[in-house]
Amino acid sequence: MSTRRPTIRDVARRAGVSVTTVSHTFSGNGKVAAATQQRVRTAAHDLGYHPDVIAQGLRNNRLGVIALVARQLDALRPDFLYDVDYFSRFAGAAAVAALAEGLGLMLVSDPTGPRAAGAALASDGFIVTEPVVDDPLVAMLTSAGIPFVTVGEVPGRSADGPDTAPHVDIESGRLTALALDHLWDGGARRIALVTGTDRNEWNLRSVAVYERWCAHRRMTPSTVRVPEELDGGGHQAAGRLLDAGAVPDGVYALTSDHALGLVAGFAERGLRVPDDVRVVAGSDAESLRSARPTISSIDLEPEELARRAVEALAARLGGRPPPPVGRPVGHLVVRASSAPADPPGQALGPRP
Amino acid sequence: MSTRRPTIRDVARRAGVSVTTVSHTFSGNGKVAAATQQRVRTAAHDLGYHPDVIAQGLRNNRLGVIALVARQLDALRPDFLYDVDYFSRFAGAAAVAALAEGLGLMLVSDPTGPRAAGAALASDGFIVTEPVVDDPLVAMLTSAGIPFVTVGEVPGRSADGPDTAPHVDIESGRLTALALDHLWDGGARRIALVTGTDRNEWNLRSVAVYERWCAHRRMTPSTVRVPEELDGGGHQAAGRLLDAGAVPDGVYALTSDHALGLVAGFAERGLRVPDDVRVVAGSDAESLRSARPTISSIDLEPEELARRAVEALAARLGGRPPPPVGRPVGHLVVRASSAPADPPGQALGPRP
DNA sequence: CTGAAAGCGCTAACAA
DNA sequence: TTGTTAGCGCTTTCAG
């Protein structure tokens, strides 16, 4: 039954012209008489012809698709996305931005990973969020000459020389300071840090800035490392912090899930938030808004990051110069967990 | 600088074999001596060769990509996704499910629309959420012979005959009854319906079931129609309901955004929720959990719907029989807006 | 077990 | 303005 879909030749034959003419009328490349164009279009319409995008892609070396590598999809439990809020806000905005550039957005797992969908490599370019030290994906893309943009720097690369991969700045340094200063201003004097274990810029730089910040204030740093994808990691962190002896009066937890668990863990142990200990999360999520108490956080503005990443990548693909760097992105959202009173969430720092 | 990426011929030359042999060692199709395979692989590795997925796609007529048509991306305000929660939960789960099938998931806008990314058509199949009456996309896919699966039936099609497009059942009928019965059980006797204007199964069937349900109970139906993408549509609906004279004591609002606005609108007019009027939303969202009061809703379980859609489509693409229909999906989540007391959200109906 | 060669549908020189 | 033709990189008969 399945009668082969019509090709450019079928259209050409039906319109009584050559394939070139058909190709040209659709691409608008050559010059084709209006009358001829009309005939071609009618023929195409009659046949229900649609150009084969894959063939075009092969020819032009350009499919019109960019890939978003969702690191979270590669976790041990593929059905468990950590930092869902960040991811879905990012992906949604990226899709919209891509459409605006006439591009499709493909969600893929790390193509260097085991469960890679081969199709991933069909894309014209990649957006890699949160690259890690010696990221195999970055290495692969670089060596294969595939254009890509990272969100967050590739850690340990800037030191090596000028071969910094193009990236969208997540401002981890500024935001860490913002969170720590906020805790300090609220009166906290023993501030701990709960970080994930992925060796990406967000974790590494936050720790570095935290340690510098502590040294500056003659505070003993207290860092707890918990894997991002560990369910209940926040609880565990709470336990470790309390058992360590020096109970903190302020904690900056880099992921929203861990912040949630942390607050719950503190509550179980009889610590009141924010009265005994103030908490700020390093990534925003709806769940932080519905938590009791509501939890302060850094809103990374994933939508804005996504837009910038797509624009930068599209520019690269189109041979255009990279877009200018915009305003600083990311801001602090103060909620109950870090404020004495309980005002509705209000924003500090630059906003859109 | 940009030295052309190696092709299968380069590998063949370097390994001292023919292209066929290379092709075979990678596809595992023909029989190739182990020693030869080794040579080929080494050569490929040295060259940094990766098969060109697009060329394979052209040859095999199969790219390994499925497209998710996000209707919300086609709204008038492309930066404003309505029903974000539903969409992002669906898209995330679909991506994961697709990966599990070895497929990439592409987020695209309606290819028949004006802002279509041409790349959309490169996909092997489509998932169309919420098709509408006389859906042009469905028509196009059908006539082009492109495999697709809809989420929710194509309205008005089942009547025409047996040409029902394969779809994942969203159970709009059962869920509408679930919501209405719940309002009724809580004591509501003048129940209104707030529906969107898209002519999709969800809206159409909900209205139909609502009217039948009312007739059954000798209740005068009161339906307010507000466009899905209208910001502040809920407020407007509240106004219209109150001005209409017969103030309802229960409302079922089909979208989460409108339910939110509705509750806010009632509050402004001095109506207390749930004491004066109970409200249930037809789609769940985090924002409903953080609203004051928290708002009851139908959780459509987008993750499950997405998994089913991907599996059904993958089966079709692979020529496998469609997966068996599973348990009924979607359940009621009771929150403060429809209950006298304020228990934490608890689920009725089947759960995973 | 390996190789030569014919395309998949389309684009872009180059000719006419 | 239109047509002829040679590939894009790969798979796959069909012969060796």
Side-chain angles (χ1 to χ4, degrees):
Chain A
M1 248 301 343
S2 80
T3 166
R4 172 179 78 50
R5 65 182 272 199
T7 80
I8 201 173
R9 308 175 74 103
D10 299 320
V11 178
R13 189 156 33 232
R14 188 170 226 269
V17 298
S18 81
V19 291
T20 312
T21 309
V22 178
S23 176
H24 281 171
T25 70
F26 280 113
S27 68
N29 266 1
K31 253 100 234 296
V32 180
T36 322
Q37 288 214 20
Q38 205 33 255
R39 256 191 310 148
V40 171
R41 288 189 194 287
T42 327
H45 183 84
D46 293 350
L47 260 33
Y49 167 81
H50 290 285
D52 183 323
V53 193
I54 302 182
Q56 286 179 323
L58 175 59
R59 197 55 245 232
N60 304 335
N61 220 1
R62 186 165 193 298
L63 234 200
V65 175
I66 59 180
L68 170 60
V69 180
R71 281 275 146 73
Q72 287 93 342
L73 298 183
D74 297 311
L76 302 174
R77 302 164 50 192
D79 55 327
F80 176 73
L81 285 175
Y82 64 89
D83 245 338
V84 239
D85 279 67
Y86 178 86
F87 172 66
S88 57
R89 286 171 65 190
F90 191 100
V96 173
L99 286 179
E101 303 273 357
L103 300 167
L105 202 244
M106 198 150 86
L107 299 180
V108 302
S109 67
D110 186 337
T112 66
R115 304 180 311 128
L121 292 175
S123 14
D124 302 335
F126 281 74
I127 294 177
V128 181
T129 58
E130 295 298 325
V132 297
V133 174
D134 295 329
D135 200 304
L137 176 54
V138 168
M140 190 271 255
L141 294 175
T142 307
S143 82
I146 301 175
F148 69 99
V149 168
T150 67
V151 178
E153 271 185 67
V154 186
R157 239 167 162 249
S158 46
D160 292 343
D163 64 347
T164 324
H167 69 276
V168 174
D169 194 349
I170 53 175
E171 313 236 358
S172 43
R174 181 176 68 81
L175 294 172
T176 301
L178 199 59
L180 296 176
D181 287 344
H182 168 64
L183 288 169
W184 176 274
D185 292 345
R189 288 300 176 271
R190 298 182 307 283
I191 302 179
L193 181 75
V194 176
T195 171
T197 53
D198 288 349
R199 303 185 64 199
N200 56 35
E201 182 201 335
W202 180 246
N203 287 334
L204 296 179
R205 171 130 10 160
S206 295
V207 171
V209 169
Y210 167 69
E211 285 172 352
R212 242 184 4 248
W213 188 91
C214 286
H216 214 254
R217 282 166 186 72
R218 312 198 166 286
M219 192 184 287
T220 313
S222 159
T223 307
V224 174
R225 294 160 45 85
V226 189
E228 277 84 351
E229 69 277 14
L230 177 62
D231 213 359
H235 263 89
Q236 199 181 98
R240 278 205 254 159
L241 281 172
L242 299 189
D243 296 342
V247 177
D249 57 3
V251 185
Y252 180 39
L254 293 183
T255 74
S256 51
D257 290 337
H258 291 351
L260 264 177
L262 194 70
V263 169
F266 282 152
E268 281 172 19
R269 303 274 199 128
L271 252 76
R272 289 165 309 160
V273 174
D275 308 82
D276 299 326
V277 53
R278 289 147 191 279
V279 175
V280 173
S283 170
D284 199 22
E286 281 285 342
S287 53
L288 300 181
R289 298 180 43 179
S290 22
R292 285 295 114 79
T294 58
I295 301 176
S296 302
S297 73
I298 299 291
D299 184 345
L300 295 162
E301 298 181 40
E303 295 86 352
E304 179 62 21
L305 294 175
R307 267 190 296 272
R308 291 183 186 191
V310 170
E311 276 166 24
L313 184 54
R316 249 172 92 73
L317 292 177
R320 286 172 277 142
V325 294
R327 61 168 179 86
V329 79
H331 60 268
L332 175 66
V333 181
V334 178
R335 301 204 181 90
S337 69
S338 68
D342 190 352
Q346 98 191 64
L348 296 185
R351 291 214 55 172
Chain B
M1 266 239 3
S2 78
T3 167
R4 172 179 77 49
R5 63 183 273 197
T7 80
I8 200 173
R9 308 176 74 103
D10 299 321
V11 178
R13 189 156 33 230
R14 188 169 225 269
V17 298
S18 82
V19 291
T20 314
T21 308
V22 179
S23 176
H24 281 170
T25 69
F26 281 113
S27 68
N29 266 1
K31 255 99 234 301
V32 180
T36 323
Q37 288 214 20
Q38 205 35 255
R39 255 191 310 146
V40 171
R41 288 191 194 286
T42 325
H45 183 83
D46 293 350
L47 260 33
Y49 168 80
H50 290 285
D52 183 325
V53 193
I54 301 182
Q56 286 179 321
L58 175 60
R59 196 58 245 236
N60 302 336
N61 221 1
R62 187 167 192 298
L63 233 199
V65 176
I66 60 181
L68 170 60
V69 180
R71 280 276 146 72
Q72 287 92 341
L73 297 183
D74 297 312
L76 303 174
R77 300 166 50 193
D79 55 327
F80 176 73
L81 286 174
Y82 64 90
D83 246 335
V84 240
D85 280 68
Y86 177 86
F87 172 67
S88 57
R89 286 170 66 189
F90 191 100
V96 174
L99 286 178
E101 303 273 357
L103 299 168
L105 201 244
M106 198 150 87
L107 298 179
V108 301
S109 66
D110 185 338
T112 66
R115 303 181 311 130
L121 292 174
S123 13
D124 302 336
F126 281 74
I127 294 177
V128 180
T129 58
E130 296 298 325
V132 297
V133 174
D134 295 329
D135 200 304
L137 176 54
V138 168
M140 190 271 255
L141 294 174
T142 307
S143 82
I146 301 175
F148 68 99
V149 169
T150 68
V151 178
E153 272 186 66
V154 185
R157 238 168 162 248
S158 47
D160 292 341
D163 63 348
T164 324
H167 68 276
V168 174
D169 194 348
I170 54 175
E171 313 236 358
S172 42
R174 181 177 66 81
L175 294 172
T176 302
L178 199 59
L180 296 175
D181 286 345
H182 168 65
L183 288 168
W184 176 274
D185 292 344
R189 288 301 177 271
R190 298 182 309 284
I191 301 179
L193 181 76
V194 176
T195 171
T197 52
D198 288 349
R199 303 185 63 199
N200 56 33
E201 182 201 336
W202 180 246
N203 287 333
L204 295 179
R205 171 131 10 161
S206 294
V207 171
V209 169
Y210 167 70
E211 286 173 351
R212 241 182 5 247
W213 188 89
C214 286
H216 215 254
R217 282 164 186 72
R218 312 198 169 285
M219 192 184 288
T220 314
S222 159
T223 306
V224 174
R225 294 161 45 86
V226 190
E228 277 84 352
E229 69 275 14
L230 177 63
D231 213 0
H235 263 89
Q236 199 182 98
R240 279 205 253 160
L241 280 171
L242 298 190
D243 296 343
V247 177
D249 57 2
V251 184
Y252 179 40
L254 293 183
T255 74
S256 52
D257 290 337
H258 291 351
L260 264 178
L262 195 69
V263 169
F266 282 152
E268 281 172 22
R269 303 275 199 129
L271 252 76
R272 287 164 312 159
V273 174
D275 308 81
D276 299 325
V277 53
R278 287 146 191 282
V279 175
V280 172
S283 170
D284 198 22
E286 281 285 342
S287 53
L288 299 181
R289 298 180 43 180
S290 22
R292 285 297 115 77
T294 59
I295 301 176
S296 303
S297 73
I298 299 290
D299 184 346
L300 295 162
E301 298 182 38
E303 295 87 352
E304 179 62 21
L305 294 175
R307 269 190 295 271
R308 291 184 185 190
V310 169
E311 275 165 25
L313 184 54
R316 249 171 93 72
L317 292 176
R320 285 171 278 142
V325 293
R327 62 168 178 85
V329 79
H331 59 268
L332 176 66
V333 180
V334 178
R335 301 204 181 91
S337 69
S338 67
D342 189 353
Q346 101 190 64
L348 296 185
R351 290 217 52 173

